[in-house]
Amino acid sequence: MISKPKRAILRVSAALASLGLTLASGACAGLNEQKTSQGAHSQQSGPIEVVASINQWGSLAQEIGGSAVHVTSIVNTTSVDAHDFEPKTTDIATIQKAQVVVTNGAGYDQWAQKSITKNATSISAAEAIGASTGDNPHLWFSKDARNAMATELKETFCRKMPDSSDAITARYNSWQKKENALEKSMKRFAKEYDDAPYAATESVAYYLLDDLGLKDKTPKGYARSAAAEGEPAPADLQAFKELISSRNVDLLINNTQEASDTTNILTGTAGRSEVPVVDVSEQMPEDVTTLTDWMQRLLEEVRKALGDFKASEATHRKVDTNQRQDNADSGANGTTNPNAGDSHGTGDANNGGAPSNEGQQDPGK
């Protein structure tokens, strides 16, 4: 994942990009005034052909462009793992015919970036905020990246279709209003749950949870293995299980597109320990149409999970108290409580079924 100093740099880069493009919004609207001198023959005659490598950014392009664009997203389902995606010949051909290609960057979709022709306009989320290969590439979960990409898309579409610049700018302003409302909700959430601890089977939603003010307690050894898409060492997996069973985290984030035996063990341990699990996919789910709506829904799911954890604390405190009393009584009678040391009944996390999910963690640091 991106370090705190690096994230600060990215926030500055995103802020500068947003400021520059905001100042340019008047120029975007003013393109209509230039078209007379340029001549009608220089104007885009139909919808701009936009191809996005993934549906997260494709949905944003559609939201900003509206009828001025025709958007095709290559990876557009949660049943596909974008990390291992192999494009078909037709996918490459689609990209090469595009007028605008929207990619994520940061090593996430190199197959798409390699296919962009010289005649196409390239818009990259990583370039927009200064991220690079090796950083956590799940940039759509970052408010900085969403803002930077929205302004990049607006300016590009305005340049290519000046006749539609007023409508494009209006759609951008509408999007900005929704995003601002979301970010206000996130700030209120951060004040309410400041530094609440969580762990993740994979770093998919790191930026979102950082924006929400939560504290990542995922064991470092496990996180490094997940980032390298490898299996964790037994000691690292055991440390993770103990972190959950001791209820030292308030929730577990689970990437549903990276399910494995390891992640099943962790989600199973969470279930037995009454630590809520929040499932998060990488690609945008089919039942949501905009990034903002998706982020709002995830915020509410995290809020509910934290509320559920808090509600279960009283029960677990009572169990712990009773367990200590049972142990004391057993000691006085010269017997041993067979359940001693397992106050939450977690036992061996390898036993029993569990909610499926994953355990990887993209190029992170």
Side-chain angles (χ1 to χ4, degrees):
M1 65 186 66
I2 295 179
S3 64
K4 291 294 183 181
K6 180 68 177 290
R7 279 223 77 184
I9 293 172
L10 297 190
R11 288 187 187 280
V12 172
S13 298
L16 291 175
S18 178
L19 175 61
L21 290 171
T22 299
L23 292 174
S25 62
C28 177
L31 286 174
N32 278 324
E33 299 175 4
Q34 300 175 16
K35 66 185 178 68
T36 302
S37 60
Q38 292 173 341
H41 64 280
S42 65
Q43 304 306 309
Q44 174 86 27
S45 60
I48 305 166
E49 288 297 326
V50 180
V51 175
S53 59
I54 55 178
N55 67 347
Q56 298 92 311
W57 296 127
S59 69
L60 184 59
Q62 185 64 68
E63 190 172 5
I64 302 299
S67 61
V69 299
H70 176 261
V71 180
T72 301
S73 295
I74 302 297
V75 180
N76 59 7
T77 174
T78 56
S79 64
V80 174
D81 180 3
H83 297 277
D84 301 323
F85 179 72
E86 292 290 340
K88 297 179 292 186
T89 302
T90 53
D91 294 328
I92 300 301
T94 298
I95 294 172
Q96 292 178 338
K97 293 176 183 177
Q99 294 171 281
V100 176
V101 180
V102 184
T103 59
N104 186 76
Y108 192 77
D109 47 8
Q110 291 180 327
W111 52 270
Q113 293 184 310
K114 291 178 181 178
S115 304
I116 301 174
T117 65
K118 293 181 179 179
N119 294 328
T121 299
S122 173
I123 301 176
S124 161
E127 291 180 6
I129 65 168
S132 58
T133 300
D135 291 330
N136 185 317
H138 304 111
L139 301 174
W140 53 92
F141 286 108
S142 164
K143 61 183 178 63
D144 296 335
R146 291 194 300 275
N147 278 282
M149 284 295 278
T151 48
E152 287 275 3
L153 289 164
K154 178 195 69 170
E155 290 302 310
T156 298
F157 297 160
C158 280
R159 283 197 306 270
K160 289 188 174 294
M161 285 198 72
D163 286 342
S164 300
S165 62
D166 287 346
I168 293 168
T169 300
R171 293 182 68 87
Y172 168 82
N173 291 339
S174 178
W175 173 87
Q176 189 71 71
K177 186 176 181 179
K178 289 177 59 180
E179 178 68 19
N180 288 343
L182 169 64
E183 292 179 21
K184 287 181 180 178
S185 295
M186 294 170 73
K187 287 181 180 179
R188 289 193 295 269
F189 179 100
K191 288 182 179 180
E192 184 177 358
Y193 297 101
D194 184 38
D195 278 346
Y198 78 93
T201 61
E202 195 262 357
S203 65
V204 60
Y206 171 77
Y207 295 124
L208 173 63
L209 299 171
D210 185 60
D211 287 339
L212 291 176
L214 303 189
K215 189 175 183 63
D216 187 0
K217 302 289 286 186
T218 307
K220 288 183 171 56
Y222 176 94
R224 283 193 295 269
S225 298
E229 300 188 42
E231 289 297 317
D236 293 330
L237 179 57
Q238 183 61 32
F240 204 161
K241 288 163 56 181
E242 291 175 358
L243 177 74
I244 297 170
S245 63
S246 62
R247 289 170 57 86
N248 284 326
V249 290
D250 293 3
L251 75 157
L252 178 68
I253 300 296
N254 184 48
N255 184 341
T256 57
Q257 290 184 247
E258 294 294 336
S260 69
D261 290 341
T262 296
T263 60
N264 288 345
I265 289 172
L266 294 172
T267 55
T269 302
R272 288 186 289 274
S273 305
E274 291 191 84
V275 173
V277 177
V278 175
D279 290 333
V280 181
S281 59
E282 296 196 26
Q283 269 52 63
M284 196 165 72
E286 285 79 0
D287 61 343
V288 294
T289 57
T290 72
L291 269 179
T292 308
D293 289 345
W294 185 23
M295 295 304 111
Q296 183 67 50
R297 186 168 80 178
L298 288 174
L299 184 156
E300 295 306 325
E301 289 177 1
V302 172
R303 184 191 300 278
K304 181 180 183 304
L306 292 174
D308 290 346
F309 181 85
K310 185 175 182 180
S312 69
E313 282 186 319
T315 300
H316 279 267
R317 280 196 298 270
K318 183 176 180 180
V319 169
D320 289 342
T321 300
N322 292 340
Q323 184 69 69
R324 285 194 294 271
Q325 185 60 52
D326 288 346
N327 290 342
D329 293 343
S330 297
N333 296 327
T335 60
T336 301
N337 187 336
N339 293 322
D342 188 15
S343 62
H344 302 298
T346 57
D348 183 354
N350 287 291
N351 294 331
S356 69
N357 277 284
E358 74 303 328
Q360 132 231 24
Q361 181 177 20
D362 312 302
K365 293 185 176 177

